Amino acid sequence: MSTIDRYDYIIVGGGSSACVVAAKLVREGRAKVLLLERGPAKANPIMHFPAGYMKFLAKDTYLSMHQTKPQPQLNGRGPIVPQGKVLGGGSTVNAMVYMRGQAADFDLWNELATSEGSNDGAWSYADLLPYFKEQEDNDHLAGEFHGVGGPLKISHLGHTSPMTRTYIKTLQGMEIPYNPDFNGARQFGVGFMQHTIDWRTRKRSSSVDAFLAPVMNNPLLTIETEATVTSLEMNGDQVTGVRYVQKGTSKQADAGKEVILAAGAYQTPKLLMLSGIGPEDELTRHGLKTVVALPGVGKNLQDHYECPVVATTKGSFGYYGQDRGWPMIKAGLQYLMFKSGPVSTTGVETCAFYDPDGNNDRPTIQMFCVPTVYLDRDVMGTEPGDGVTINSLLLRPKARGSVTLASKDPFDNPIVDTRIFGHPDDLRLTMAAFRFARTVLDASPMRDLIEKEIFPGPDVTSDDAVAAHCKRTVKTGYHPVGTCKMGRDSDQEAVLDLNLRVRGTRSLRVVDASMMPAIVSGNTNAAVMAAAGKAADLILA
């Protein structure tokens, strides 16, 4: 063991929340901070291009592939859930969608986290909106809901496909109104999605670019990559530091003030349990001594799940074939010379929010239009080609999964039990959304571009057949949250208090997506960053 280094704060994980917190602690708190990331320091430069992430979707270069537990209700399927494994985490590898969710999501957080009858709006939408705005530099929106001049660049994409524009027009004809701002007063509607892309350079604006880069050379900040934290160091209930392994060498670091966990909804509960903090029966099963019995660690897992309908088209209205040969070269040159064309898009440019049950003040489905044939890696049955995939994503599943230990080896991935469709309403809403997506394909002007439905095929119509299709094809939205939720003192499964401190311990907090008591209604990165901004203020208070 080498010499023990000492810091004010140690941050475990280098994703979006870690970057936000580290920057604020250094810049405003003038604190000495160590940030530990298990992945590399940088991704391939192509990942800065809006279309670049697609080259790495099925690779483990910057992703940790979590093979989830086989699900009986999915006939034994256990979908793979990738998580970012590089400095910047998901913000370095994701599809860059900037979607906050609904105001009611955060008001629910507040209700679940504050004492009954309390007027404290600590986690309400009104409380978090200033953090969203403070972080944001939007290229065309301002006013009540948006910020200008912040570090995080937000813009629309530099290119949209004919299929995208047709989809938006079609849904307006189906009584789903055009919504110019999903992050504004109301989410219901169809429109173009905002993205974390710098409109000047047409490059990704990751959490590293926005928050960490401005303090990267500050001597108060130390960043160690390819460093896997193996356990927390504790003195009774006081967390004093961490042990980690970097390139085969065991190291230790001490924190004079706090250790801050930001390793994500899978790795954060795993590290707590490896350190003796968690459900007593789970720790005993692996021969681990219980230091703090917290039954909620690893519980309450939520994610977004989506199911597709796929059709071929009468021509090329999307992006099939644009990633190879002369079309790829031409698109690359156009992007490098003019910052425009297919490379300036993520490929998924639009979505619609609605509720199949009719409560459009609180949409339950996010319906994406993918202008090509797109299926998850474990689903076979169609060949790539010109076409369109409409994915219906369930925003607030009622089923709750869990994260448990596979072993006490810190290098083993945990066991992820997703419990997809574990509640009947989740399957019911997904089936209803699938049926509605089919009607979109058959509505004008969309139907003018459609050749035929190829997956699952027009003969799949009965409830049993549609349910079987959903179970066969359901995939992750890449948004796991909730495994160390904050909650009231009376909630036996609340891991964190209102200030994100781990109950039963001192000098330990969680600031990543694990803290969410309930998943937000949309892509999670924006909410994670806003919550981390608030978390940094709580730490410095």
Side-chain angles (χ1 to χ4, degrees), residues 217-484:
N217 295 322
N218 191 311
L220 291 172
L221 177 64
T222 301
I223 299 172
E224 298 289 354
T225 54
E226 299 180 61
T228 300
V229 176
T230 56
S231 67
L232 304 175
E233 284 291 289
M234 299 187 71
N235 181 11
D237 63 357
Q238 176 94 32
V239 178
T240 58
V242 300
R243 291 179 182 269
Y244 64 101
V245 175
Q246 187 178 41
K247 298 179 181 178
T249 301
S250 296
K251 299 182 180 182
Q252 184 175 340
D254 284 352
K257 293 184 177 179
E258 291 190 14
V259 172
I260 300 161
L261 301 187
Y266 295 162
Q267 297 298 325
T268 285
K270 185 188 88 168
L271 181 58
L272 286 173
M273 288 185 276
L274 288 173
S275 305
I277 303 169
E280 199 161 5
D281 57 346
E282 175 67 9
L283 302 180
T284 301
R285 188 165 69 90
H286 293 283
L288 294 164
K289 179 185 175 183
T290 300
V291 179
V292 178
L294 272 182
V297 172
K299 305 283 176 57
N300 193 51
L301 173 64
Q302 299 156 67
D303 198 347
H304 292 134
Y305 303 109
E306 61 188 24
C307 289
V309 59
V310 185
T312 54
T313 53
K314 297 174 182 176
S316 180
F317 305 111
Y319 298 112
Y320 174 67
Q322 296 291 311
D323 59 346
R324 63 183 70 91
W326 170 242
M328 180 182 72
I329 295 171
K330 183 172 69 171
L333 289 172
Q334 180 178 355
Y335 177 77
L336 292 173
M337 294 173 69
F338 305 111
K339 302 302 178 190
S340 63
V343 178
S344 66
T345 178
T346 63
V348 186
E349 300 149 352
T350 179
C351 74
F353 287 95
Y354 75 101
D355 176 31
D357 289 342
N359 180 18
N360 288 317
D361 288 333
R362 191 89 160 100
T364 55
I365 297 294
Q366 183 178 11
M367 189 171 65
F368 297 96
C369 175
V370 185
T372 188
V373 173
Y374 173 72
L375 292 172
D376 208 17
R377 56 178 59 78
D378 72 333
V379 177
M380 306 301 290
T382 63
E383 294 297 323
D386 286 319
V388 61
T389 303
I390 298 182
N391 275 325
S392 297
L393 178 142
L394 183 64
L395 289 171
R396 295 184 302 281
K398 293 181 179 178
R400 297 292 183 265
S402 65
V403 173
T404 53
L405 294 175
S407 74
K408 56 183 178 182
D409 184 341
F411 293 94
D412 283 349
N413 275 335
I415 296 171
V416 178
D417 186 356
T418 59
R419 298 292 300 151
I420 299 172
F421 297 152
H423 191 287
D425 274 358
D426 296 348
L427 180 57
R428 178 185 67 80
L429 279 169
T430 300
M431 290 171 63
F434 167 82
R435 293 186 188 279
F436 180 71
R438 268 185 162 165
T439 68
V440 175
L441 293 175
D442 197 38
S444 179
M446 193 84 158
R447 64 171 172 242
D448 298 333
L449 308 186
I450 301 301
E451 182 179 52
K452 63 179 178 179
E453 180 186 318
I454 59 170
F455 193 73
D459 56 330
V460 176
T461 57
S462 69
D463 284 350
D464 286 347
V466 171
H469 167 71
C470 291
K471 292 175 181 180
R472 179 190 172 195
T473 61
V474 64
K475 64 178 285 293
T476 177
Y478 313 105
H479 304 146
V481 309
T483 50
C484 297

Side-chain angles (χ1 to χ4, degrees), residues 18-20 22-24 26-27 35 42 48 87-88 151 205-218 221 223:
C19 293
V20 171
K24 211 161 195 177
V26 168
R27 189 180 63 252
L35 185 151
K42 293 182 179 179
H48 282 97
L87 192 63
S205 179
S206 72
S207 59
V208 175
D209 301 319
F211 303 104
L212 212 54
V215 296
M216 195 80 83
N217 295 322
N218 191 311
L221 177 64
I223 299 172

Side-chain angles (χ1 to χ4, degrees), residues 197-211:
I197 293 174
D198 189 328
W199 64 94
R200 290 173 289 248
T201 63
R202 286 292 163 201
K203 290 184 178 180
R204 177 190 294 269
S205 179
S206 72
S207 59
V208 175
D209 301 319
F211 303 104

